[in-house]
Amino acid sequence: MRYRLLSILWLTAAPAASSAQERSVTLDEAIRLAERVQPDVVRASTAVRTAGAQRRNAWGAFLPNLTASSSASDFFSEGESRVDPVTGLVTRGNSTNRSISTSLSASIDLFTGFRRGAELSAARANESAADASLIDARFQQSLATTNQFLDALAAAQLVRVREASVRRAEEQLKVSVAKLRAGSATRSDSLRSLVTLGNTQLDLITTQTDLATAEANLARLIGERGRVRAADDSAFYGVVPVLDTQAIRLEAESKSPRVQSAVSSASAARADVRASRSGYWPTLALSANTGWNGNRENDYTLLNQRQISLALRWSLFDRFDRELNIVQREADLDVAEATAADAKRGVEAELQKWLAELDAAKTRIQITQTSVAAATEDLRVQQERYRVGASTIVDVLTSQEALNQAEVDVVNARFDYLRAKAQLEALIGRKL
């Protein structure tokens, strides 16, 4: 039995020994590394670049188009006289003529029915929405990384709690065996202590498995392989002062990245509606072209041609294409405005939830710490009474289990508080 017990203890201690060789990261390092490799953040970052390019493109619609071209040709005419397609001159039949030409042309839209201004406003709103979405993606990824980091850190602390439970169970088993040998206890006491030790070892194995899973998931989040250990920091466990819930609520409604992104998308949809209505207005465009042509017959003397044109175009009827486009844009606007309003309500609801969770976790921390102190003292008293024969092994093991659970509860309460705090920070877009 002793060999079997030592084997179990060796197996449960082996993962802890190997974990000492793992890489350790702080929370800030984990968040920074996760932002570099997680698809949601990368996607939001590329959307910002795309939105910036779209804004430049919308601004460029106010600038003229400029095109330069040049060509050379060898024209052969057989039979009757024909017109040189480059120079426009009549050439004799059965003749060859080489020619060159170059030209420079420019055009600019003078009036587009206010379409360019609306498209520029929409592009700017889309860029603001992309910026807000990137901030939100970073905070959401920070939240996911923080939760995974806390899972790994909580599992590591629970492993230490379970190891302490095993040590207490081992000590109690030694006491029961000693009392059995002295004839002051029954065999049932030592068997009960042995069962309790086995249960605590099973709890330790389960917790070590949870730790391995949490550390492997943390490694995946930050772009690593294997397991990554979460580095503990005493700064995690400081309780924030009492929050001004009204100020937090107003800040969340105005500065929440989720709300800002939805509001900017609604602004872009509103500008798209204005742009779609530009189809009812006429358009006015100015264009100019200058070119130089020459050929072998005139010793390649370049002759200049210039042209300036002002074009007015007004679509009077397009079989209701404009109306369809307007209805589609207005439908998109209705959805965007409803989404923005729902985002505000959603942030408000989540804010209420996590503020309540924060307060509840803070209270649980205080209660569980008191429970640990009380359970520790109760176990000490029961163990002393058992030594002198004033209590039974059942009383001792019950107190021991109560202390084990109280230590687990204080760890869970502490990390419930940290998770609620991280959720609030992701909602308002800043650290508390």
Side-chain angles (χ1 to χ4, degrees):
M1 180 181 294
R2 183 176 300 174
Y3 175 78
R4 179 181 173 188
L5 177 59
L6 291 175
S7 299
I8 295 175
L9 292 176
W10 181 84
L11 289 173
T12 56
S18 64
S19 65
Q21 306 301 322
E22 298 166 9
R23 179 187 175 185
S24 176
V25 295
T26 64
L27 178 58
D28 291 338
E29 289 174 343
I31 292 174
R32 176 174 52 81
L33 292 171
E35 286 185 356
R36 293 169 51 186
V37 299
Q38 288 304 308
D40 289 342
V41 179
V42 174
R43 189 180 300 111
S45 180
T46 57
V48 169
R49 294 201 302 269
T50 302
Q54 290 173 341
R55 179 185 55 80
R56 289 193 300 271
N57 179 259
W59 181 82
F62 290 92
L63 302 177
N65 289 322
L66 189 63
T67 304
S69 63
S70 180
S71 65
S73 65
D74 191 348
F75 181 76
F76 173 74
S77 176
E78 180 182 8
E80 301 177 356
S81 299
R82 297 187 182 184
V83 178
D84 190 319
V86 176
T87 63
L89 301 177
V90 177
T91 60
R92 297 184 302 274
N94 296 323
S95 64
T96 301
N97 186 27
R98 292 187 176 89
S99 60
I100 59 173
S101 68
T102 183
S103 66
L104 183 66
S105 61
S107 64
I108 185 171
D109 292 328
L110 300 179
F111 181 68
T112 61
F114 310 105
R115 174 181 55 80
R116 291 177 299 183
E119 289 179 346
L120 181 58
S121 298
R124 287 172 175 168
N126 282 326
E127 187 175 27
S128 298
D131 289 336
S133 295
L134 176 59
I135 295 174
D136 184 54
R138 283 177 172 171
F139 270 97
Q140 293 303 319
Q141 186 57 55
S142 174
L143 174 61
T145 305
T146 299
N147 283 333
Q148 190 58 58
F149 184 92
L150 294 178
D151 287 345
L153 192 56
Q157 293 190 9
L158 287 174
V159 165
R160 291 194 289 272
V161 168
R162 296 302 187 186
E163 289 173 344
S165 300
V166 170
R167 288 194 296 270
R168 282 193 295 266
E170 289 173 348
E171 291 298 325
Q172 184 56 46
L173 177 60
K174 292 178 182 178
V175 172
S176 299
V177 171
K179 287 176 69 66
L180 176 62
R181 290 174 178 173
S184 58
T186 64
R187 184 173 178 82
S188 175
D189 288 3
S190 60
L191 291 176
R192 287 177 182 272
S193 299
L194 184 59
V195 170
T196 299
L197 176 59
N199 290 334
T200 56
Q201 289 172 339
L202 290 176
D203 290 338
L204 175 58
I205 293 173
T206 301
T207 307
Q208 288 174 336
T209 302
D210 294 339
L211 175 61
T213 302
E215 289 182 345
N217 288 333
L218 178 60
R220 177 193 172 188
L221 271 180
I222 66 175
E224 298 286 342
R225 293 183 178 181
R227 293 170 59 176
V228 173
R229 185 166 57 88
D232 204 352
D233 189 345
S234 59
F236 293 154
Y237 310 113
V239 178
V240 298
V242 178
L243 297 175
D244 185 348
T245 56
Q246 184 62 28
I248 291 291
R249 185 178 297 109
L250 293 176
E251 183 178 3
E253 291 177 355
S254 60
K255 296 183 179 180
S256 171
R258 191 186 311 174
V259 173
Q260 287 184 336
S261 178
V263 169
S264 297
S265 296
S267 298
R270 202 171 294 113
D272 286 338
V273 171
R274 294 199 304 271
S276 65
R277 290 172 178 165
S278 65
Y280 289 108
W281 292 84
T283 59
L284 187 63
L286 176 66
S287 61
N289 177 273
T290 181
W292 293 266
N293 301 312
N295 56 55
R296 186 173 60 183
E297 291 187 355
N298 61 4
D299 295 329
Y300 300 104
T301 300
L302 296 178
L303 303 177
N304 181 246
Q305 294 178 340
R306 294 185 296 272
Q307 178 183 1
I308 297 178
S309 62
L310 183 66
L312 176 68
R313 184 177 181 275
W314 197 343
S315 178
L316 300 179
F317 181 69
D318 61 354
R319 294 174 294 183
F320 305 109
D321 287 342
R322 289 173 297 195
E323 286 73 14
L324 174 61
N325 190 28
I326 291 174
V327 170
Q328 291 174 336
R329 297 292 177 86
E330 287 177 342
D332 293 339
L333 174 59
D334 291 341
V335 174
E337 289 179 338
T339 301
D342 183 68
K344 292 180 179 179
R345 294 192 299 269
V347 167
E348 170 70 17
E350 288 192 37
L351 187 65
Q352 296 291 345
K353 172 187 175 181
W354 293 115
L355 283 172
E357 287 284 345
L358 194 70
D359 291 338
K362 186 187 301 184
T363 303
R364 284 199 298 272
I365 290 174
Q366 298 171 351
I367 294 174
T368 53
Q369 287 175 341
T370 303
S371 298
V372 168
T376 301
E377 179 62 18
D378 180 64
L379 178 59
R380 186 190 67 80
V381 171
Q382 293 296 339
Q383 286 174 336
E384 289 299 321
R385 294 186 65 188
Y386 179 71
R387 289 179 189 275
V388 299
S391 66
T392 66
I393 190 63
V394 175
D395 297 327
V396 176
L397 296 181
T398 300
S399 297
Q400 187 173 299
E401 180 60 30
L403 177 57
N404 295 344
Q405 188 58 48
E407 289 178 337
V408 170
D409 290 343
V410 76
V411 172
N412 290 334
R414 185 184 301 127
F415 284 93
D416 286 344
Y417 179 85
L418 293 176
R419 292 186 183 94
K421 180 183 174 184
Q423 291 281 356
L424 284 174
E425 291 172 346
L427 274 179
I428 63 179
R430 69 171 178 85
K431 296 291 185 179
L432 290 175

